[in-house]
Amino acid sequence: MMFTKILIANRGEIACRVIRTARRMGVKTVAVYSDADRNAQHVKLADQAVHIGGSQVSESYLVGERIIEAAKQTGAEAIHPGYGFLSENPGFVENVEAAGLTFIGPSASSIRAMGLKDAAKRLMEKAGVPVVPGYHGEAQELVVLAGKANEIGYPVLIKARAGGGGKGMRKVDRPEDFREALASAKREAKSSFGDDAVLVEKYVEKPRHIEVQVFGDKHGNVVHLYERDCSLQRRHQKVIEEAPAPGMSDEMRAAMTDAAVKAARAIDYVGAGTIEFIVDGSSGLRPDGFWFMEMNTRLQVEHPVTESVTGLDLVEWQLRVASGERLPRLQDEIEQCGHAFEARIYAEDVPKGFLPATGTLHHLHFPAGSRIDSGVVEGDAISPFYDPMIAKLITGGPDRVSALASLGEALDASRIAGSVTNLAFLRALAAHPGFSEGDVDTGLIARDIDALVREPDTSAEVWAVAALHALGLIGRAPAWSLWQPLAWQVNLVHKGEAEMLTASPEGSGWKVVTPSGPVTLDISRNGDRLELRSAEGLATMTLATWPGHVAVMSDTGTFEFAIPDPLDGDAADAHSGDHVISPMPGLVRHVGAVAGQKVARGEPLIILEAMKMEHSLTAPRDGVIASVGVSTGDQVNEGVVLLELEAAD
């Protein structure tokens, strides 16, 4: 019998996603929330909400006892784990079931079987599923692992045996780099998963990441819902996913989906799962050129592309299977039609190495016609405590060309202000010639990273719009004095640099002298949408404002400007070359410098963990350390001086 009420042990986008399907099915929902999420969208959407602790995940979303107690108190019959957090924790599954509740996912034994990559690969070998050559044993000593790497042959990949998402993963090209890469991988694995054990595998050249969605029920039925290509990655994290995989032949698909179903059957799998394969893309897709990588025993972030090409609701399937029903369809009833893409939109500073960002979303608009899965709305803030995803944008079409064109158009039409985002990067990626042709592999982004992360130029038109807004001249008719044109000046700060701009009447519009050159504009306004007429032709832009700031948005990017108060004095330059400053709130994981130490520009000094990632902070110049203001284990806020160099001569 279908549940009447479920609790969602997660937050953000996936919690909102589960709530929407549950509501359509007539199932009531209970949200849980931390201090930071008190006003989050998933809390507002659910029928009930329960506070479970502090903002740190260790104080809330990872505290299984509180989540289970919240389910019992509210009368929920089952717990949906979403993805991340406790979704692949077998102990949590056992505790849920011991409390008389249903876990909407696989059994604890299935999760354990696939939870450690080394044991999972040994199991897959027995099941007849191809596995990448490598060392999956228990020994973790440097001498053993380095020796195995030599036997396998460089390049190799060090991978945490627990968890996923690229955490605890390092590619090593040379033997002399192995020690440092191993230490870093183990440190990150310990922090992310509480387990620093790793395995070592052969690194596949021109690898593609193709995964198969599987589903099993409690009656012994297992099916696949075809494949997804997730090869566009940076730092081993997916950026754009698609279904089906480009270049996939019927023979290759049959071999890969058969292997995926074998893998699921080997562990009596129930619920939604994903079998991930590493594929040799150096000479096309071949039935003998793919190997099992790992299984994700949960719903995946990229599940919407599978829904788009199959017409199925995977969350609905999860609820039906968990409640004891048979799979809604068997294999010969599942068809794949059309093509779909998903782009992950994040609050992150791409030119600074994809540094996670925070900020209030003062403007958030996506075009009609695209599916948007998001856990935030305009006015919400991106928290420093969790993954900085803003939204997933999903587009589809009858074929790959049309679906990709829709993706590009939707990204161009998306408008976000209040935080830096990866929108410009996604736009460049969607237009990449190799990606357009389907020639994808996991190294594509790294090879063309300079072109892909290049910031769009701030045009004279953009400068002019910002200046005219700051001066209050948009929508105001030009005026002339008796003897000469009036002129206004305004100071704007863009990318940390202050610039003085001058505006004066010119015909029916305004002439503005900008750092990118002079331009004359005639502007009409409809709400936040501007129509610009200039010598270059007609253009449209979007304006977003909040106290002391203005953002000008076009299909090339978002350009934010600070409008200094002329009554304020100049602020001291806190970002001089004498300091290492925390770019965001985070936890100091390692301090590699002491007072009096000589350092070279670019030398790693401090490792800061923030938003589930490690960030290496380096020396801003050659010099000598004057003081170190933090220790390993300290929690720091954004803008804190972590380390100071002696004054330069």
Side-chain angles (χ1 to χ4, degrees), residues 506-531:
E506 182 84 11
S508 62
W510 301 94
K511 179 180 180 180
V512 186
V513 179
T514 81
S516 298
V519 64
T520 299
L521 297 178
D522 191 344
I523 302 177
S524 59
R525 180 171 187 171
N526 182 11
D528 58 13
R529 186 176 175 83
L530 307 178
E531 189 173 87

PDB file of all heavy atoms in Angstrom, residues 506-531:
ATOM      1  N   GLU A 506      23.043  63.511 -25.602  1.00  0.00           N
ATOM      2  CA  GLU A 506      23.472  63.389 -26.998  1.00  0.00           C
ATOM      3  C   GLU A 506      22.234  63.028 -27.818  1.00  0.00           C
ATOM      4  O   GLU A 506      21.762  61.888 -27.776  1.00  0.00           O
ATOM      5  CB  GLU A 506      24.540  62.307 -27.143  1.00  0.00           C
ATOM      6  CG  GLU A 506      25.070  62.143 -28.551  1.00  0.00           C
ATOM      7  CD  GLU A 506      26.192  63.134 -28.879  1.00  0.00           C
ATOM      8  OE1 GLU A 506      26.689  63.806 -27.952  1.00  0.00           O
ATOM      9  OE2 GLU A 506      26.563  63.220 -30.047  1.00  0.00           O
ATOM     10  N   GLY A 507      21.693  63.977 -28.519  1.00  0.00           N
ATOM     11  CA  GLY A 507      20.480  63.732 -29.275  1.00  0.00           C
ATOM     12  C   GLY A 507      19.339  63.347 -28.346  1.00  0.00           C
ATOM     13  O   GLY A 507      19.055  64.029 -27.359  1.00  0.00           O
ATOM     14  N   SER A 508      18.691  62.205 -28.669  1.00  0.00           N
ATOM     15  CA  SER A 508      17.593  61.733 -27.819  1.00  0.00           C
ATOM     16  C   SER A 508      18.080  60.794 -26.730  1.00  0.00           C
ATOM     17  O   SER A 508      17.282  60.232 -25.984  1.00  0.00           O
ATOM     18  CB  SER A 508      16.540  61.015 -28.681  1.00  0.00           C
ATOM     19  OG  SER A 508      17.129  59.875 -29.312  1.00  0.00           O
ATOM     20  N   GLY A 509      19.409  60.606 -26.652  1.00  0.00           N
ATOM     21  CA  GLY A 509      19.958  59.674 -25.674  1.00  0.00           C
ATOM     22  C   GLY A 509      21.073  60.288 -24.851  1.00  0.00           C
ATOM     23  O   GLY A 509      21.116  61.497 -24.618  1.00  0.00           O
ATOM     24  N   TRP A 510      21.993  59.414 -24.433  1.00  0.00           N
ATOM     25  CA  TRP A 510      23.087  59.823 -23.558  1.00  0.00           C
ATOM     26  C   TRP A 510      24.411  59.321 -24.105  1.00  0.00           C
ATOM     27  O   TRP A 510      24.523  58.182 -24.539  1.00  0.00           O
ATOM     28  CB  TRP A 510      22.889  59.267 -22.148  1.00  0.00           C
ATOM     29  CG  TRP A 510      21.618  59.700 -21.496  1.00  0.00           C
ATOM     30  CD1 TRP A 510      20.433  59.048 -21.478  1.00  0.00           C
ATOM     31  CD2 TRP A 510      21.416  60.927 -20.806  1.00  0.00           C
ATOM     32  NE1 TRP A 510      19.488  59.760 -20.799  1.00  0.00           N
ATOM     33  CE2 TRP A 510      20.062  60.929 -20.366  1.00  0.00           C
ATOM     34  CE3 TRP A 510      22.224  62.017 -20.492  1.00  0.00           C
ATOM     35  CZ2 TRP A 510      19.513  61.980 -19.642  1.00  0.00           C
ATOM     36  CZ3 TRP A 510      21.681  63.062 -19.762  1.00  0.00           C
ATOM     37  CH2 TRP A 510      20.350  63.041 -19.344  1.00  0.00           C
ATOM     38  N   LYS A 511      25.390  60.196 -24.068  1.00  0.00           N
ATOM     39  CA  LYS A 511      26.749  59.799 -24.404  1.00  0.00           C
ATOM     40  C   LYS A 511      27.499  59.542 -23.107  1.00  0.00           C
ATOM     41  O   LYS A 511      27.505  60.388 -22.201  1.00  0.00           O
ATOM     42  CB  LYS A 511      27.463  60.881 -25.200  1.00  0.00           C
ATOM     43  CG  LYS A 511      28.912  60.510 -25.561  1.00  0.00           C
ATOM     44  CD  LYS A 511      29.588  61.612 -26.360  1.00  0.00           C
ATOM     45  CE  LYS A 511      31.028  61.232 -26.698  1.00  0.00           C
ATOM     46  NZ  LYS A 511      31.703  62.298 -27.489  1.00  0.00           N
ATOM     47  N   VAL A 512      28.098  58.362 -23.008  1.00  0.00           N
ATOM     48  CA  VAL A 512      28.822  57.994 -21.792  1.00  0.00           C
ATOM     49  C   VAL A 512      30.258  57.647 -22.160  1.00  0.00           C
ATOM     50  O   VAL A 512      30.502  56.834 -23.072  1.00  0.00           O
ATOM     51  CB  VAL A 512      28.162  56.798 -21.079  1.00  0.00           C
ATOM     52  CG1 VAL A 512      28.864  56.536 -19.744  1.00  0.00           C
ATOM     53  CG2 VAL A 512      26.679  57.039 -20.865  1.00  0.00           C
ATOM     54  N   VAL A 513      31.197  58.276 -21.480  1.00  0.00           N
ATOM     55  CA  VAL A 513      32.615  57.956 -21.659  1.00  0.00           C
ATOM     56  C   VAL A 513      32.969  56.883 -20.638  1.00  0.00           C
ATOM     57  O   VAL A 513      32.880  57.112 -19.424  1.00  0.00           O
ATOM     58  CB  VAL A 513      33.499  59.204 -21.479  1.00  0.00           C
ATOM     59  CG1 VAL A 513      34.964  58.833 -21.659  1.00  0.00           C
ATOM     60  CG2 VAL A 513      33.097  60.286 -22.475  1.00  0.00           C
ATOM     61  N   THR A 514      33.341  55.698 -21.124  1.00  0.00           N
ATOM     62  CA  THR A 514      33.579  54.533 -20.267  1.00  0.00           C
ATOM     63  C   THR A 514      35.004  54.037 -20.417  1.00  0.00           C
ATOM     64  O   THR A 514      35.703  54.417 -21.367  1.00  0.00           O
ATOM     65  CB  THR A 514      32.618  53.387 -20.640  1.00  0.00           C
ATOM     66  OG1 THR A 514      33.131  52.696 -21.784  1.00  0.00           O
ATOM     67  CG2 THR A 514      31.215  53.897 -20.962  1.00  0.00           C
ATOM     68  N   PRO A 515      35.466  53.155 -19.527  1.00  0.00           N
ATOM     69  CA  PRO A 515      36.807  52.571 -19.681  1.00  0.00           C
ATOM     70  C   PRO A 515      36.963  51.767 -20.968  1.00  0.00           C
ATOM     71  O   PRO A 515      38.091  51.524 -21.409  1.00  0.00           O
ATOM     72  CB  PRO A 515      36.928  51.657 -18.445  1.00  0.00           C
ATOM     73  CG  PRO A 515      35.981  52.236 -17.454  1.00  0.00           C
ATOM     74  CD  PRO A 515      34.839  52.755 -18.255  1.00  0.00           C
ATOM     75  N   SER A 516      35.840  51.340 -21.559  1.00  0.00           N
ATOM     76  CA  SER A 516      35.908  50.587 -22.814  1.00  0.00           C
ATOM     77  C   SER A 516      35.653  51.473 -24.023  1.00  0.00           C
ATOM     78  O   SER A 516      35.462  50.976 -25.132  1.00  0.00           O
ATOM     79  CB  SER A 516      34.882  49.439 -22.791  1.00  0.00           C
ATOM     80  OG  SER A 516      35.171  48.536 -21.750  1.00  0.00           O
ATOM     81  N   GLY A 517      35.629  52.789 -23.810  1.00  0.00           N
ATOM     82  CA  GLY A 517      35.418  53.720 -24.908  1.00  0.00           C
ATOM     83  C   GLY A 517      34.090  54.441 -24.774  1.00  0.00           C
ATOM     84  O   GLY A 517      33.226  54.056 -23.989  1.00  0.00           O
ATOM     85  N   PRO A 518      33.900  55.510 -25.580  1.00  0.00           N
ATOM     86  CA  PRO A 518      32.647  56.260 -25.524  1.00  0.00           C
ATOM     87  C   PRO A 518      31.536  55.537 -26.275  1.00  0.00           C
ATOM     88  O   PRO A 518      31.777  54.821 -27.242  1.00  0.00           O
ATOM     89  CB  PRO A 518      33.008  57.579 -26.205  1.00  0.00           C
ATOM     90  CG  PRO A 518      34.098  57.220 -27.163  1.00  0.00           C
ATOM     91  CD  PRO A 518      34.881  56.115 -26.506  1.00  0.00           C
ATOM     92  N   VAL A 519      30.299  55.721 -25.823  1.00  0.00           N
ATOM     93  CA  VAL A 519      29.159  55.113 -26.494  1.00  0.00           C
ATOM     94  C   VAL A 519      27.942  56.005 -26.268  1.00  0.00           C
ATOM     95  O   VAL A 519      27.814  56.647 -25.225  1.00  0.00           O
ATOM     96  CB  VAL A 519      28.887  53.688 -25.969  1.00  0.00           C
ATOM     97  CG1 VAL A 519      28.488  53.708 -24.498  1.00  0.00           C
ATOM     98  CG2 VAL A 519      27.832  52.984 -26.785  1.00  0.00           C
ATOM     99  N   THR A 520      27.078  56.065 -27.289  1.00  0.00           N
ATOM    100  CA  THR A 520      25.839  56.830 -27.171  1.00  0.00           C
ATOM    101  C   THR A 520      24.666  55.872 -27.201  1.00  0.00           C
ATOM    102  O   THR A 520      24.553  55.044 -28.125  1.00  0.00           O
ATOM    103  CB  THR A 520      25.713  57.848 -28.316  1.00  0.00           C
ATOM    104  OG1 THR A 520      26.815  58.761 -28.253  1.00  0.00           O
ATOM    105  CG2 THR A 520      24.408  58.629 -28.201  1.00  0.00           C
ATOM    106  N   LEU A 521      23.806  55.978 -26.197  1.00  0.00           N
ATOM    107  CA  LEU A 521      22.695  55.045 -26.044  1.00  0.00           C
ATOM    108  C   LEU A 521      21.377  55.785 -25.918  1.00  0.00           C
ATOM    109  O   LEU A 521      21.293  56.836 -25.278  1.00  0.00           O
ATOM    110  CB  LEU A 521      22.869  54.180 -24.786  1.00  0.00           C
ATOM    111  CG  LEU A 521      24.065  53.241 -24.698  1.00  0.00           C
ATOM    112  CD1 LEU A 521      24.054  52.531 -23.349  1.00  0.00           C
ATOM    113  CD2 LEU A 521      24.047  52.237 -25.831  1.00  0.00           C
ATOM    114  N   ASP A 522      20.354  55.199 -26.543  1.00  0.00           N
ATOM    115  CA  ASP A 522      18.977  55.614 -26.329  1.00  0.00           C
ATOM    116  C   ASP A 522      18.295  54.422 -25.667  1.00  0.00           C
ATOM    117  O   ASP A 522      18.209  53.344 -26.266  1.00  0.00           O
ATOM    118  CB  ASP A 522      18.324  55.946 -27.671  1.00  0.00           C
ATOM    119  CG  ASP A 522      16.977  56.629 -27.495  1.00  0.00           C
ATOM    120  OD1 ASP A 522      16.437  56.563 -26.378  1.00  0.00           O
ATOM    121  OD2 ASP A 522      16.468  57.200 -28.474  1.00  0.00           O
ATOM    122  N   ILE A 523      17.841  54.583 -24.413  1.00  0.00           N
ATOM    123  CA  ILE A 523      17.365  53.445 -23.622  1.00  0.00           C
ATOM    124  C   ILE A 523      15.883  53.584 -23.321  1.00  0.00           C
ATOM    125  O   ILE A 523      15.424  54.636 -22.868  1.00  0.00           O
ATOM    126  CB  ILE A 523      18.139  53.329 -22.289  1.00  0.00           C
ATOM    127  CG1 ILE A 523      19.641  53.192 -22.536  1.00  0.00           C
ATOM    128  CG2 ILE A 523      17.625  52.149 -21.471  1.00  0.00           C
ATOM    129  CD1 ILE A 523      20.474  53.143 -21.272  1.00  0.00           C
ATOM    130  N   SER A 524      15.136  52.509 -23.584  1.00  0.00           N
ATOM    131  CA  SER A 524      13.759  52.415 -23.105  1.00  0.00           C
ATOM    132  C   SER A 524      13.689  51.281 -22.098  1.00  0.00           C
ATOM    133  O   SER A 524      14.425  50.298 -22.200  1.00  0.00           O
ATOM    134  CB  SER A 524      12.792  52.165 -24.270  1.00  0.00           C
ATOM    135  OG  SER A 524      13.118  50.966 -24.954  1.00  0.00           O
ATOM    136  N   ARG A 525      12.798  51.438 -21.121  1.00  0.00           N
ATOM    137  CA  ARG A 525      12.779  50.480 -20.008  1.00  0.00           C
ATOM    138  C   ARG A 525      11.384  49.919 -19.795  1.00  0.00           C
ATOM    139  O   ARG A 525      10.389  50.640 -19.844  1.00  0.00           O
ATOM    140  CB  ARG A 525      13.261  51.162 -18.728  1.00  0.00           C
ATOM    141  CG  ARG A 525      13.296  50.265 -17.505  1.00  0.00           C
ATOM    142  CD  ARG A 525      13.981  50.942 -16.341  1.00  0.00           C
ATOM    143  NE  ARG A 525      14.170  50.042 -15.218  1.00  0.00           N
ATOM    144  CZ  ARG A 525      14.893  50.336 -14.144  1.00  0.00           C
ATOM    145  NH1 ARG A 525      15.499  51.511 -14.051  1.00  0.00           N
ATOM    146  NH2 ARG A 525      15.021  49.460 -13.163  1.00  0.00           N
ATOM    147  N   ASN A 526      11.340  48.609 -19.571  1.00  0.00           N
ATOM    148  CA  ASN A 526      10.097  47.922 -19.207  1.00  0.00           C
ATOM    149  C   ASN A 526      10.404  47.029 -18.015  1.00  0.00           C
ATOM    150  O   ASN A 526      10.900  45.914 -18.167  1.00  0.00           O
ATOM    151  CB  ASN A 526       9.578  47.100 -20.389  1.00  0.00           C
ATOM    152  CG  ASN A 526       8.258  46.403 -20.070  1.00  0.00           C
ATOM    153  OD1 ASN A 526       7.621  46.696 -19.044  1.00  0.00           O
ATOM    154  ND2 ASN A 526       7.858  45.485 -20.917  1.00  0.00           N
ATOM    155  N   GLY A 527      10.146  47.538 -16.802  1.00  0.00           N
ATOM    156  CA  GLY A 527      10.515  46.798 -15.594  1.00  0.00           C
ATOM    157  C   GLY A 527      12.025  46.707 -15.475  1.00  0.00           C
ATOM    158  O   GLY A 527      12.722  47.725 -15.497  1.00  0.00           O
ATOM    159  N   ASP A 528      12.546  45.473 -15.355  1.00  0.00           N
ATOM    160  CA  ASP A 528      13.997  45.307 -15.256  1.00  0.00           C
ATOM    161  C   ASP A 528      14.633  45.044 -16.626  1.00  0.00           C
ATOM    162  O   ASP A 528      15.827  44.786 -16.721  1.00  0.00           O
ATOM    163  CB  ASP A 528      14.354  44.178 -14.282  1.00  0.00           C
ATOM    164  CG  ASP A 528      13.737  42.837 -14.690  1.00  0.00           C
ATOM    165  OD1 ASP A 528      13.251  42.715 -15.830  1.00  0.00           O
ATOM    166  OD2 ASP A 528      13.740  41.909 -13.858  1.00  0.00           O
ATOM    167  N   ARG A 529      13.847  45.101 -17.669  1.00  0.00           N
ATOM    168  CA  ARG A 529      14.337  44.825 -19.018  1.00  0.00           C
ATOM    169  C   ARG A 529      14.583  46.133 -19.768  1.00  0.00           C
ATOM    170  O   ARG A 529      13.722  47.019 -19.811  1.00  0.00           O
ATOM    171  CB  ARG A 529      13.338  43.963 -19.782  1.00  0.00           C
ATOM    172  CG  ARG A 529      13.818  43.506 -21.153  1.00  0.00           C
ATOM    173  CD  ARG A 529      12.780  42.569 -21.771  1.00  0.00           C
ATOM    174  NE  ARG A 529      13.118  42.177 -23.121  1.00  0.00           N
ATOM    175  CZ  ARG A 529      13.948  41.185 -23.427  1.00  0.00           C
ATOM    176  NH1 ARG A 529      14.504  40.478 -22.455  1.00  0.00           N
ATOM    177  NH2 ARG A 529      14.201  40.881 -24.678  1.00  0.00           N
ATOM    178  N   LEU A 530      15.769  46.263 -20.351  1.00  0.00           N
ATOM    179  CA  LEU A 530      16.159  47.465 -21.069  1.00  0.00           C
ATOM    180  C   LEU A 530      16.324  47.162 -22.550  1.00  0.00           C
ATOM    181  O   LEU A 530      16.841  46.102 -22.923  1.00  0.00           O
ATOM    182  CB  LEU A 530      17.485  48.020 -20.527  1.00  0.00           C
ATOM    183  CG  LEU A 530      17.587  48.277 -19.022  1.00  0.00           C
ATOM    184  CD1 LEU A 530      18.979  48.780 -18.684  1.00  0.00           C
ATOM    185  CD2 LEU A 530      16.528  49.267 -18.566  1.00  0.00           C
ATOM    186  N   GLU A 531      15.907  48.114 -23.379  1.00  0.00           N
ATOM    187  CA  GLU A 531      16.148  48.025 -24.817  1.00  0.00           C
ATOM    188  C   GLU A 531      17.081  49.167 -25.189  1.00  0.00           C
ATOM    189  O   GLU A 531      16.769  50.338 -24.944  1.00  0.00           O
ATOM    190  CB  GLU A 531      14.843  48.113 -25.595  1.00  0.00           C
ATOM    191  CG  GLU A 531      15.008  47.809 -27.077  1.00  0.00           C
ATOM    192  CD  GLU A 531      13.688  47.734 -27.805  1.00  0.00           C
ATOM    193  OE1 GLU A 531      13.216  48.796 -28.258  1.00  0.00           O
ATOM    194  OE2 GLU A 531      13.117  46.621 -27.891  1.00  0.00           O
TER     195      GLU A 531
END
